[in-house]
Amino acid sequence: MNQNPEQIARDHIDKLLVSSGWLIQDKKKINLSAATGIAIQEYQTDVGPADYVLFVDKKPVGIIEAKREEEGVKLTVHEDQSTDYATAKLKYINNGPLPFVYESTGNVTRFTDYRDPKPRSRPVFTFHRPETFQKWLKEEKTLRGRFCDIPELPETGLRECQVQAITNLEKSFREFRPKALIQMATGSGKTFTAITAIYRLLKFAKAKRILFLVDTKNLGEQAEQEFKRYEPQDDNRLFPELYGVTRLSSSFVPTDSEVYISTIQRLYSILKGTPLDERDEEENPNEGKWQPKEPLPVVYNEKVPMEFFDFIVIDECHRSIYNLWKQVLDYFDAFQVGLTATPDNRTFGYFNQNLVCDYGYQRAVEDGVLVPYNVFEIVTKVTQGGAKLELGEYVGTREKLTRKQFWNTLDEEVEYKATQLDDKVVNVNQIRLIAKAVRDNLPHMFPDRLDKDSKFEVPKMLIFAKSDSHADDIINIVREEFAEENKFCKKITYRSDEDPKSVLQQFRNSYYPRVAVTVDMIATGTDIRPLEVLLFMRDVKSRSYYEQMKGRGTRTCSLEELKATGTPSARFTKDHFVIIDAIGVEKSRKTDSRPLEKKPGLSLKEVLDGIAMGNTEEAMLSTLANRLIRLDKQLNEKEKTTFAERAGGQSINQVVKKLLHAHDPDTVQAITLQVKAENPGAAPATIAAQAAERHQELVEQAVAVFHDYELRDFIIDIRKKYDQIIDHINPDELVTIGWVKDNKADAENLVADFQSWIETHKNEIVALQLFYGQPYQRRALTFRMLKDLVETIKNAKPTLAPLHVWRAYEQLEKVNGQPKNELMALVALIRRVSGLDDTLT
């Protein structure tokens, strides 16, 4: 209690050194043979005693300059002092300058490696291990020194945006910038770009280990497949034949790989030393609302020390690297590279505004890398305003979980809002009306899609639903209204009975299913090239998440691929996709990101997930206890028995008692009194520390049962059993239907661009000269001339592809018929522009 601030700082530093593998010795009791790494306190130099001198294999290698906690904000001021000690002569030793230098308060630590080309201090979580210094000292150059050895990037096989991203990223590394951000539109090859950069870092910069960080298991599996398929330009072997690739799926972290793929949840649990079920990696943690008052600290893990990775590549970095999860990135002494299609202000700020590639959706469309989209709107009366069910109506009610249905007479009037649709109330007429409207309008959107029997072939369509229950309702109604079989429309969510991966594979590569319904499994990061229609039946408030969802449709797809992957009636290359907005998602207010400070009401699932991820605050435990007390009253005996079986024999009441007991003031006081009795005469700080440790053990015992995913899943499912009202009574009607009017301006601009381009080039292209001449001259127009004209237009301005311009005209005026291919569209367009026809025909 009587220590001064300097002594307190040194106590903190001592703990960090010991946990990092250093043996601390007093200057009067030196034994350099006692361990690989020795930290000697107050070692004498010719400029005075250094706070700590670090020895590895009996040789001095570094200095630690200890400062009191208040100095943490200005540690860089003390760098000259540290350098003086590092370049001084040590007593008894004929040493040169020591390369590894720290300034530390025990809470804040900065490190400089003076072997680097331009030594620059950086913040680090703790001290590097002695074995790390052993390895570093054997290398001819430091990692930062080896950046200059990376040769110029060969551009063969790479898109211009990929060349720009990798070239600028490597320039950023040569400038030793700790963070870099790559913005590339969804579908423009972010992962391929990242793997190419990783390959070059491993081969030329001799990086030891690189982490590819994701926030869902699905994205991790996709990244693993991309690494397996990757073949570098300068080697005919696949990536895994050259470098080890490991996807972390347990708490075990092997040391013999070069590339590691992990979710941020998995890495957090590894550093915290807590178990994690793979199913806890299925959802993007940014979507959960719970946040602890203070992030639970990541602690040092000697199996995965802070220097374990040289680089961390963060996929979808706009999402899950803030708040609680940011600690995972703060822990590692590594360069960070962010990948995203939709950065927000937070993202730019986190990556120090070091944007090395800015390749947005619009540029990708202009370059022909991605396809544009049109929005088709369906507005119904119930979608807009909800409806009312009168007292005495005979309506269906349904258990949300089991789908078991009952019929009852309403004993009170029920008025539901649009926001309650498909949660409290299901209006089957609304879902059916939307399904019919989609069915009837798809042939007008894709007029060429007739199979060999002249029957309309539904293009590949993805429907976004609000919940699993909503998805099931949509599937049943879509199958009915399209008069199709089971395989025509399927669900792809983590909770579907069929293996979601195999259904996704079928949707991507086979004829069936034509329609897939998902909640969020394939909202982001999934490549489905033949997808041509996105139907939104759920709203999305996050701007970046909505952009990600739209990104599912932006991929280009050649005619051959479109035919081969399930749309054999296709007559031309995928040159656009259609968003059908049946919920008002295009008009709803979007926010850039979730606010950092918030206190929303938490769902039971969010409370359970929060506790499973280590948030054991009193408020969380008491909230869960109250929810379980209410749940206990609703369960039947069979369900209570099932709970006890899954909870290691404990009833709900026993679990609740432990939760409430864990933070009870009497409990905390009793622990403190017991520690005092066991340690008579101990310092108050020692007693407080031991009491806090025991209290934490009690809390951990109380929540241990919730580490089991099966139990959490059971509680969530049972809680969902409350009834939904099925509204069969209120009919629904269309309010508006058609192409979104906002697109009219875009269509007008596109038509004007096309007219302007044709007018500008009419004197230099033979086909145009003939069109603008007398009608009889058109006898000389050849197929080759038209093909050349199409190619010239598409190369000069990809957005003016004939079929794209045709659709713009469709939004502005009545057209006669539909073109069967690009050349037919082009002839009609030029006849219209040059005045041969009054309408597009």
Side-chain angles (χ1 to χ4, degrees):
M1 291 298 286
N2 299 320
Q3 286 183 308
N4 64 38
E6 283 79 8
Q7 289 169 325
I8 292 170
R10 291 192 188 206
D11 284 350
H12 288 317
I13 290 170
D14 288 353
K15 285 179 185 174
L16 293 177
L17 282 167
V18 170
S19 65
S20 302
W22 295 87
L23 180 64
I24 299 169
Q25 292 182 351
D26 185 86
K27 64 181 176 181
K28 295 176 183 174
K29 299 176 182 177
I30 297 174
N31 175 7
L32 295 180
S33 301
T36 302
I38 307 282
I40 299 177
Q41 297 171 321
E42 297 292 332
Y43 195 98
Q44 193 63 42
T45 77
D46 61 3
V47 294
D51 293 329
Y52 297 82
V53 176
L54 303 177
F55 287 79
V56 171
D57 294 334
K58 303 180 184 177
K59 294 174 184 169
V61 298
I63 290 287
I64 301 173
E65 176 63 25
K67 292 294 173 190
R68 58 171 142 187
E69 190 172 356
E70 304 89 87
E71 297 293 306
V73 294
K74 51 179 182 178
L75 274 183
T76 52
V77 171
H78 303 290
E79 286 168 356
D80 287 344
Q81 188 181 358
S82 313
T83 309
D84 287 345
Y85 286 121
T87 54
K89 287 294 176 191
L90 301 179
K91 192 174 182 181
Y92 310 123
I93 300 170
N94 183 22
N95 63 288
L98 306 186
F100 306 123
V101 177
Y102 297 92
E103 297 84 32
S104 180
T105 67
N107 290 314
V108 178
T109 303
R110 294 189 73 86
F111 168 70
T112 308
D113 185 344
Y114 279 92
R115 302 169 308 142
D116 284 337
K118 289 183 179 179
R120 184 192 300 164
S121 75
R122 60 184 185 266
V124 287
F125 184 81
T126 183
F127 301 104
H128 300 85
R129 298 187 71 80
E131 308 87 77
T132 302
F133 288 160
Q134 267 182 325
K135 290 174 189 168
W136 284 0
L137 289 166
K138 289 174 186 172
E139 297 170 351
E140 284 183 32
K141 294 181 180 178
T142 67
L143 175 64
R144 286 159 179 75
R146 296 194 295 269
F147 286 151
C148 300
D149 299 338
I150 302 177
E152 195 173 331
L153 176 70
E155 298 184 11
T156 314
L158 295 172
R159 293 172 179 157
E160 187 182 335
C161 59
Q162 294 170 331
V163 171
Q164 179 199 353
I166 297 167
T167 303
N168 289 349
L169 179 62
E170 290 173 355
K171 178 175 181 282
S172 175
F173 289 147
R174 284 194 294 275
E175 293 171 352
F176 314 138
R177 295 178 184 269
K179 296 174 183 174
L181 178 62
I182 294 175
Q183 179 194 359
M184 290 176 70
T186 302
S188 57
K190 283 197 305 292
T191 310
F192 182 86
T193 303
I195 296 174
T196 304
I198 287 170
Y199 169 75
R200 286 169 60 78
L201 289 170
L202 290 168
K203 181 170 182 176
F204 301 117
K206 307 299 180 198
K208 297 295 182 291
R209 298 188 194 96
I210 297 176
L211 171 66
F212 192 91
L213 195 64
V214 295
D215 61 12
T216 64
K217 182 183 167 191
N218 182 35
L219 287 178
E221 290 168 342
Q222 284 183 57
E224 185 178 27
Q225 291 307 312
E226 293 253 16
F227 274 102
K228 285 179 179 177
R229 288 195 297 264
Y230 182 84
E231 185 179 322
Q233 296 163 306
D234 56 1
D235 200 306
N236 57 10
R237 290 171 291 177
L238 294 173
F239 193 100
E241 297 175 69
L242 299 163
Y243 301 106
V245 179
T246 297
R247 185 170 65 81
L248 300 181
S249 56
S250 70
S251 57
F252 174 67
V253 183
T255 57
D256 56 353
S257 277
E258 281 79 27
V259 173
Y260 295 75
I261 301 167
S262 174
T263 62
I264 199 160
Q265 303 93 299
R266 170 71 56 198
L267 217 49
Y268 179 77
S269 73
I270 288 169
L271 294 177
K272 287 285 293 170
T274 53
L276 184 75
D277 192 291
E278 275 199 83
R279 288 166 292 189
D280 281 321
E281 301 177 275
E282 288 176 350
E283 291 182 9
N284 156 21
N286 188 47
E287 292 301 298
K289 292 179 185 174
W290 75 269
Q291 291 294 339
K293 288 174 189 168
E294 292 179 15
L296 291 142
V298 160
V299 291
Y300 186 78
N301 187 324
E302 64 180 40
K303 292 177 185 172
V304 191
M306 67 168 185
E307 61 268 38
F308 195 79
F309 301 112
D310 290 328
F311 298 88
I312 302 178
V313 178
I314 309 152
D315 196 21
E316 307 296 358
C317 66
H318 61 282
R319 288 205 307 219
S320 307
I321 60 171
Y322 310 100
N323 308 327
L324 168 76
W325 310 103
K326 182 176 177 289
Q327 298 177 90
V328 174
L329 297 174
D330 289 344
Y331 175 82
F332 290 106
D333 179 28
F335 287 90
Q336 296 177 22
V337 180
L339 306 177
T340 180
T342 53
D344 57 30
N345 291 340
R346 274 194 315 188
T347 319
F348 288 120
Y350 179 81
F351 286 95
N352 303 336
Q353 299 190 20
N354 183 24
L355 185 63
V356 297
C357 177
D358 177 9
Y359 191 71
Y361 174 68
Q362 199 54 47
R363 273 187 62 195
V365 170
E366 288 169 6
D367 291 350
V369 172
L370 301 179
V371 297
Y373 65 90
N374 293 329
V375 181
F376 189 87
E377 188 178 46
I378 299 173
V379 181
T380 79
K381 193 174 177 182
V382 171
T383 309
Q384 267 192 332
K388 185 192 287 187
L389 289 162
E390 301 293 343
L391 171 71
E393 291 282 13
Y394 195 59
V395 298
T397 57
R398 181 174 69 190
E399 286 186 356
K400 203 172 181 185
L401 179 65
T402 63
R403 318 288 285 167
K404 193 173 176 182
Q405 195 160 326
F406 311 90
W407 287 88
N408 295 302
T409 304
L410 284 178
D411 53 10
E412 62 180 356
E413 185 182 87
V414 173
E415 187 169 353
Y416 59 91
K417 298 175 183 174
T419 52
Q420 294 175 300
L421 269 174
D422 308 302
D423 180 20
K424 306 286 184 195
V425 180
V426 176
N427 186 315
V428 287
N429 297 322
Q430 180 244 11
I431 299 173
R432 193 172 299 282
L433 183 62
I434 291 169
K436 284 179 178 177
V438 171
R439 177 198 67 197
D440 295 344
N441 284 277
L442 279 174
H444 301 299
M445 298 177 200
F446 297 87
D448 62 307
R449 296 296 167 80
L450 297 175
D451 63 18
K452 57 183 184 301
D453 301 320
S454 296
K455 183 187 170 191
F456 177 69
E457 185 174 74
V458 176
K460 289 272 183 176
M461 175 163 63
L462 178 62
I463 303 176
F464 291 112
K466 294 176 184 174
S467 63
D468 277 286
S469 171
H470 187 211
D472 284 335
D473 291 330
I474 292 169
I475 287 167
N476 292 327
I477 290 172
V478 164
R479 286 171 179 171
E480 278 179 38
E481 292 305 323
F482 282 79
E484 287 289 354
E485 55 196 310
N486 290 350
K487 62 185 179 182
F488 174 81
C489 179
K490 286 193 173 185
K491 181 163 70 169
I492 308 180
T493 72
Y494 290 114
R495 296 173 70 87
S496 56
D497 296 329
E498 271 189 273
D499 174 27
K501 281 188 218 161
S502 65
V503 179
L504 180 56
Q505 201 65 17
Q506 291 164 17
F507 187 52
R508 186 187 281 126
N509 297 319
S510 306
Y511 188 80
Y512 287 113
R514 305 303 302 158
V515 180
V517 184
T518 190
V519 179
D520 55 15
M521 180 176 166
I522 48 178
T524 64
T526 307
D527 190 1
I528 308 168
R529 292 184 177 278
L531 186 60
E532 294 183 276
V533 182
L534 298 181
L535 169 54
F536 280 87
M537 293 185 73
R538 64 168 283 198
D539 197 4
V540 186
K541 298 300 182 191
S542 160
R543 182 178 291 114
S544 60
Y545 193 43
Y546 181 46
E547 293 300 323
Q548 292 281 322
M549 292 164 88
K550 287 197 295 191
R552 298 316 101 222
T554 60
R555 265 66 169 191
T556 57
C557 190
S558 68
L559 179 57
E560 294 72 24
E561 192 177 1
L562 204 52
K563 283 176 174 285
T565 51
T567 310
S569 69
R571 306 276 167 84
F572 43 81
T573 300
K574 174 183 170 183
D575 65 349
H576 80 301
F577 72 101
V578 175
I579 289 175
I580 302 178
D581 182 4
I583 199 77
V585 68
E586 273 282 305
K587 293 178 179 174
S588 69
R589 186 169 170 268
K590 304 280 185 287
T591 56
D592 272 337
S593 60
R594 291 180 175 275
L596 292 173
E597 298 293 328
K598 55 195 175 190
K599 294 183 180 177
L602 299 179
S603 70
L604 179 61
K605 182 181 187 309
E606 286 161 342
V607 173
L608 285 165
D609 286 350
I611 287 171
M613 292 310 297
N615 183 359
T616 54
E617 294 169 4
E618 183 180 359
M620 289 292 272
L621 268 56
S622 62
T623 298
L624 179 58
N626 287 330
R627 303 280 177 92
L628 290 176
I629 290 166
R630 291 205 300 269
L631 183 64
D632 189 44
K633 293 173 183 172
Q634 297 170 356
L635 301 188
N636 58 38
E637 287 307 313
K638 184 182 175 186
E639 288 162 345
K640 288 180 181 179
T641 304
T642 306
F643 179 96
E645 287 170 358
R646 292 173 189 257
Q650 300 178 86
S651 68
I652 291 181
N653 279 331
Q654 288 169 322
V655 171
V656 165
K657 278 180 185 173
K658 282 188 176 181
L659 291 172
L660 295 175
H661 181 65
H663 283 291
D664 184 73
D666 292 339
T667 303
V668 177
Q669 188 179 9
I671 290 171
T672 305
L673 291 172
Q674 186 181 355
V675 171
K676 276 183 180 175
E678 292 171 3
N679 300 275
T686 306
I687 290 170
Q690 282 192 30
E693 196 173 316
R694 287 197 196 176
H695 178 227
Q696 190 56 37
E697 284 173 12
L698 186 70
V699 170
E700 291 299 333
Q701 288 168 15
V703 300
V705 67
F706 299 108
H707 288 311
D708 179 9
Y709 182 91
E710 299 287 351
L711 177 64
R712 300 202 312 270
D713 211 32
F714 171 74
I715 294 169
I716 292 160
D717 282 346
I718 285 296
R719 180 67 188 85
K720 279 183 179 173
K721 197 178 168 183
Y722 60 78
D723 295 342
Q724 286 180 317
I725 295 173
I726 311 296
D727 181 2
H728 293 276
I729 295 161
N730 284 298
D732 201 2
E733 58 188 70
L734 289 169
V735 177
T736 57
I737 186 167
W739 297 107
V740 171
K741 297 296 179 282
D742 289 350
N743 281 4
K744 188 174 179 183
D746 290 340
E748 286 171 347
N749 290 337
L750 191 63
V751 166
D753 277 357
F754 182 79
Q755 292 172 340
S756 171
W757 192 91
I758 296 292
E759 187 67 32
T760 305
H761 296 87
K762 68 180 182 182
N763 295 324
E764 60 190 75
I765 297 173
V766 178
L768 293 180
Q769 290 172 11
L770 292 172
F771 268 113
Y772 274 86
Q774 297 303 314
Y776 71 85
Q777 286 183 299
R778 290 197 336 277
R779 285 174 298 181
L781 198 63
T782 66
F783 183 74
R784 169 55 51 201
M785 285 180 193
L786 287 172
K787 285 205 77 168
D788 287 345
L789 178 53
V790 167
E791 291 308 312
T792 305
I793 291 173
K794 286 171 78 173
N795 287 334
K797 293 203 79 171
T799 50
L800 299 185
L803 289 163
H804 194 197
V805 179
W806 182 284
R807 290 189 182 91
Y809 264 104
E810 277 185 317
Q811 294 186 51
L812 302 176
E813 64 183 41
K814 190 176 185 324
V815 299
N816 295 324
Q818 291 290 333
K820 291 216 169 76
N821 55 44
E822 284 190 313
L823 298 186
M824 196 178 284
L826 184 65
V827 171
L829 285 166
I830 297 175
R831 285 177 63 90
R832 172 78 179 81
V833 171
S834 62
L836 287 171
D837 293 332
D838 293 328
T839 55
L840 197 57
T841 306

